[in-house]
Every structure is written in C-alpha cells, then in structure tokens.
Amino acid sequence: MSKRVAVVGTGYVGLTTALSLAYIGHRVVALDLDEAKVRALKQGNPPFFEPHLPEMLSLVRDRLSFTTRYEEAIPGAEVVFIAVGTPPSPEGSPDLTQVQEAARGIGQNLGEGFTVVVNKSTVPVGSGNYVEALVRRAFQEAHGGEVDGRFAVASNPEFLREGQALYDSLYPDRIVVGAEDRRALEVLRELYEPILEQSFPAPAFLPRPERMGAVPFLTTGLASAELIKYGANAFLALKISFINELSALAERVGADIQDVARGIGLDSRIGPRFLQAGLGWGGSCFPKDTLALLAMGREYGLKLSIVEAAREVNRRQRERVVEKLLSELKVLKGRTLALLGLAFKPHTDDLRESPALELARLLLDRGAFVRAHDPVALPRARREVDLPLEYAETPEDLLKGADAVVLATDWPEYRTWPWGELKPLLRTPLVVDARNHLDGKALARLGYRYLGMGVPALAPAKEVV
C-alpha cells in the first residue's frame, strides 16, 4: 500500500532513504533548508557522489519532490523521517541541534491524521523520548491544544555503507524498528513490505543478489533500537582495529596478515568481512559513533575500555605509515610524497574523518610536501580541505619527482595504472601500500620497493638473491 512520506534532510542517509522509498512505490517529499541543494536536486543533480544516484533520481522523478518548507512536506505525510546530521560536540556526544529543529518543524506542521515520526539519524539512547517531547511541545505552542494521539515516535536506524548506499537500502541484511506504540510498528511494517518481501522489480543498474530471501524485520523498544545502531558500528570498528593490531605483530614475527585474516575469517563464528588490515577506519559513522558511545558510557558512569582501545589502535595506524616512510627515507623534511586517495573509502567523495587526510597532516607536520590524487574527491577537497596539499589530476603529474608513493584509499583504478611506465618519473621507486591493495609482487618485478601493512616487504626483483 502506497504511503505519503516526508524525509527531513537530504544528506547520504536522507536522500538514499527518499529515493529507495519512492522507488518501491511511495510518494515522497524530501525537505532540506539548503536552497541551493534543493535546486540542484530538482534538476537531477545530487549534492555528493554516490553510485547510481542520478539514475535513481531519473527513475523516481514522478514520485519524489523536493522542498525547503516544512508546511509543504509535513501536513500530508503519514510517515516523517528525521535524517539530519548529528556531528560530534566537543565532549564527544552527538550535537542534536538539527534534530531539535526538525522535531519542532514537524510538531508545528502535523497533519490531521496519525503520523509516525521516525528517527533515522544516529542519535543517543533516549532521543526517541526527547523527540516526542519536542514534537508535542511544538504542536501545543503552534495550535494551543493537546496532540491527542496524532503521532508516535519510532527509531529506525540505518546500516548503509557509503559507496553502496542504494544497494543496502533495497537489499538490507535486516530492518530494525523500535517503538512503544503498536500502530507505529504496523505502519512501518507496511511501509517496508516491498523490501521485506523483495517483491519490487530490481533496477537494471542494481540487480537483486542471488538467493536473496525475505528480509528480517526486528521490532524492539526505542532504547534497544537506538543502541543497536551504535553497537553494530562499534563492533565493526573493533574488527578492523583488531586485525590492524595483529598486523603489527605479523610484521615483527614474519607472518603475512592477509593469510592470517583468511584463516581467521573462515571460522563461521567470525567471518571474513572487516578483517582487512590497513590505514584504519574513518568516515562519518565509525569515528563519530564510537566517540558517542564513550560519551554515553561516561554519562551512565561506565568506562567502555574495548571501544576506547579500538580508537587508539586506529589512530596508531597512521603513525605506523609515517614510521615506514622514515625507515626508508630517513628524513621527511623537504620530501615530496605522492598520496593516492583522499576520500575515506572508495566509491564516495566523502572526506569526513578521512584516514588519508589524517596521514597527510602528519606528513606535513614533519615538513614533507604532499601531492594528492583521487578519482572522484579532488573537487570537494579543493573546496573543503584546509591543508596545504598539492593536487594532481593525472598519474604523471602526481608521481613526477616524488620520493615515495603512499596508497591511502583503495580505489580500484590504482591497480590498473601503468606502473611500469610511471616508475621513471619517481625520484625513489618506493610504494607504501597502506591498504594492501596493490599487487606487491608485480610492483617488485617492475623495480619498486613495496611495503604493505602486516605483509612481508618486497624488494625490486634485481635485488633478490
């Protein structure tokens, strides 16, 4: 059954939510206060890079509209998603300013029927109650009466991976909904029914996975749903930090962390995903959510030591790369270092908490010159990054005269560069692969010295005895 939906916020989560719900047949109004962003979306131009957004915008243009006004989006909606930013405050807890503004705007413009207000933003435990109070108060101030059961609040955390957000929206591992009102659970079950049953026709550019079955629909209380989101992200961050810590030991004992990870991951209780050693995690979720979890623990008098340790291991990975460069080059002052990748992961232009930028900052602090390339994120970096980076559009411009190459983001394109032709451009044919992404043996045959993370170093073939 088609429903009328409003989505407040058109960032990664909000726009993806709006597009996927419109695709499965609902009528959606997406609201954002940024007039320039809304104008661009009306013209079919997404404000950030994410695979297949333009194609999906074209497919759903008859069921998806955009506005900057609450009074246009909220009154007719049966379901309203809050999908605004919750950046970390100085003490680590999420800044709920945008959530507060959204809740007030919703309360002031509630329609006549029953409305489910859904927290899609990642918010701390207790935020469902807080949003309910804000909506209620705003309604009373605007209309002078009681709201009388016209709305309920639910928590519906997102589990999207940037670079695969539309795929994860249409083919999720599970859908989690927390609410204290049974009507809210029923409405959201109906809303997601085409995804739960996988009854919608798959887009040509996003085919349905083989053996895709019914999607689990987990209903909980508000607090449990809110904690599930933080717990899931923290656990994935722990897996990455664990294998990174183990990679340091692998280097010392002469083991190959990639073999170790495969051996560990074949255990069905553990699984292979998120066991890739490298530069560590970044982006808009893991850093913010682990920090928020620590702040939440402090609020309740708890020290979450494992989460704290995971953050420290992650920070240390950047320093390990600097140490590798120092070991090879001895001095970094005045060196020119070619940085492959700026986005926090491939298939996105998101620079938030990017490990590549953190590494660049450490290298600049040591007096190095950093020349950077990224297949997608260069325009955004030029606008947003406040570091004195040099930017290169081509492999040749990037590597000419460089003292070393550091791969920081594992874009597939970097594996296919003509490394043999590029080698003469370098002052020193040294590659530090901070993602274990390149073919180290092939590079060594071409005359490069190759260093990875937790894997044996490879010298140029002519030096091998």
Side-chain angles (χ1 to χ4, degrees), residues 3-4 68 77 109 112 166 196-197 211 216 394 423 425 434:
K3 294 192 180 297
R4 300 182 304 278
T68 59
N109 293 278
E112 294 294 327
L166 282 173
L196 296 172
E197 298 181 357
R211 297 183 295 278
T394 67
K423 178 176 169 287
L425 298 175

Side-chain angles (χ1 to χ4, degrees), residues 280-358:
W281 36 266
S284 63
C285 292
F286 289 3
K288 176 173 70 73
D289 292 353
T290 52
L291 193 62
L293 204 53
L294 293 176
M296 207 182 308
R298 289 194 299 270
E299 183 181 349
Y300 288 91
L302 296 173
K303 180 179 174 64
L304 304 182
S305 302
I306 295 177
V307 178
E308 196 171 90
R311 289 180 57 84
E312 174 57 25
V313 170
N314 197 58
R315 183 196 64 79
R316 174 77 179 129
Q317 288 304 103
R318 285 66 151 165
E319 295 178 351
R320 284 181 62 197
V321 174
V322 176
E323 290 166 3
K324 288 175 183 290
L325 288 165
L326 281 169
S327 176
E328 296 292 322
L329 301 176
K330 309 307 179 186
V331 174
L332 294 185
K333 285 185 176 64
R335 302 282 196 183
T336 297
L337 303 176
L339 191 64
L340 298 183
L342 289 172
F344 88 94
K345 63 180 290 188
H347 309 298
T348 179
D349 63 350
D350 195 346
L351 301 169
R352 288 175 290 180
E353 299 287 342
S354 170
L357 291 176
E358 292 181 36

Side-chain angles (χ1 to χ4, degrees), residues 390-459:
E390 303 168 15
Y391 296 105
E393 298 284 349
T394 67
E396 292 77 12
D397 289 342
L398 179 74
L399 300 188
K400 187 174 182 180
D403 294 284
V405 181
V406 181
L407 184 139
T409 309
D410 46 342
W411 283 95
E413 289 90 329
Y414 294 140
R415 291 181 64 92
T416 61
W417 275 13
W419 288 98
E421 299 173 18
L422 295 170
K423 178 176 169 287
L425 298 175
L426 286 156
R427 187 174 289 118
T428 308
L430 170 65
V431 173
V432 178
D433 185 354
R435 295 291 183 184
N436 293 341
H437 178 62
L438 301 173
D439 186 338
K441 292 180 180 178
L443 288 173
R445 288 195 296 270
L446 292 171
Y448 288 90
R449 177 159 172 76
Y450 174 88
L451 302 178
M453 302 293 283
V455 299
L458 298 171

Side-chain angles (χ1 to χ4, degrees), residues 131-155:
V131 166
E132 182 179 11
L134 290 172
V135 172
R136 187 180 303 279
R137 286 170 175 260
F139 180 89
Q140 290 169 342
E141 292 169 4
H143 303 283
E146 290 298 325
V147 71
D148 294 331
R150 283 165 57 179
F151 82 100
V153 172
S155 174

Side-chain angles (χ1 to χ4, degrees), residues 168-426:
D168 290 343
S169 294
L170 295 176
Y171 312 117
D173 294 324
R174 76 287 201 198
I175 292 176
V176 175
V177 174
E180 312 302 334
D181 188 303
R182 182 165 295 278
R183 291 176 300 171
L185 297 175
E186 292 171 355
V187 168
L188 293 177
R189 173 67 177 78
E190 293 174 0
L191 180 81
Y192 283 120
E193 185 173 337
I195 291 176
L196 296 172
E197 298 181 357
Q198 287 294 295
S199 58
F200 62 89
F205 50 82
L206 278 176
R208 184 173 283 107
E210 292 184 14
R211 297 183 295 278
M212 179 80 187
V215 175
F217 184 69
L218 175 64
T219 60
T220 72
L222 276 169
S224 295
E226 291 163 344
L227 192 55
I228 284 169
K229 168 63 176 176
Y230 284 105
N233 275 355
F235 188 79
L236 296 175
L238 294 180
K239 285 189 75 173
I240 298 170
S241 288
F242 172 79
I243 204 66
N244 278 334
E245 188 167 63
L246 208 58
S247 73
L249 180 60
E251 288 183 6
R252 296 292 178 92
V253 303
D256 186 323
I257 196 61
Q258 293 177 307
D259 291 337
V260 174
R262 278 192 289 271
I264 294 172
L266 286 170
D267 189 323
S268 61
R269 298 168 299 176
I270 298 172
R273 297 172 67 187
F274 291 86
L275 287 179
Q276 289 75 42
L279 194 55
W281 36 266
S284 63
C285 292
F286 289 3
K288 176 173 70 73
D289 292 353
T290 52
L291 193 62
L293 204 53
L294 293 176
M296 207 182 308
R298 289 194 299 270
E299 183 181 349
Y300 288 91
L302 296 173
K303 180 179 174 64
L304 304 182
S305 302
I306 295 177
V307 178
E308 196 171 90
R311 289 180 57 84
E312 174 57 25
V313 170
N314 197 58
R315 183 196 64 79
R316 174 77 179 129
Q317 288 304 103
R318 285 66 151 165
E319 295 178 351
R320 284 181 62 197
V321 174
V322 176
E323 290 166 3
K324 288 175 183 290
L325 288 165
L326 281 169
S327 176
E328 296 292 322
L329 301 176
K330 309 307 179 186
V331 174
L332 294 185
K333 285 185 176 64
R335 302 282 196 183
T336 297
L337 303 176
L339 191 64
L340 298 183
L342 289 172
F344 88 94
K345 63 180 290 188
H347 309 298
T348 179
D349 63 350
D350 195 346
L351 301 169
R352 288 175 290 180
E353 299 287 342
S354 170
L357 291 176
E358 292 181 36
L359 175 60
R361 186 176 291 106
L362 291 175
L363 296 173
L364 290 166
D365 288 345
R366 289 184 174 269
F369 298 99
V370 179
R371 191 184 300 153
H373 175 274
D374 191 284
V376 168
L378 282 187
R380 192 165 183 172
R382 287 190 170 100
R383 295 193 307 269
E384 299 179 5
V385 174
D386 60 358
L387 299 174
L389 301 177
E390 303 168 15
Y391 296 105
E393 298 284 349
T394 67
E396 292 77 12
D397 289 342
L398 179 74
L399 300 188
K400 187 174 182 180
D403 294 284
V405 181
V406 181
L407 184 139
T409 309
D410 46 342
W411 283 95
E413 289 90 329
Y414 294 140
R415 291 181 64 92
T416 61
W417 275 13
W419 288 98
E421 299 173 18
L422 295 170
K423 178 176 169 287
L425 298 175
L426 286 156

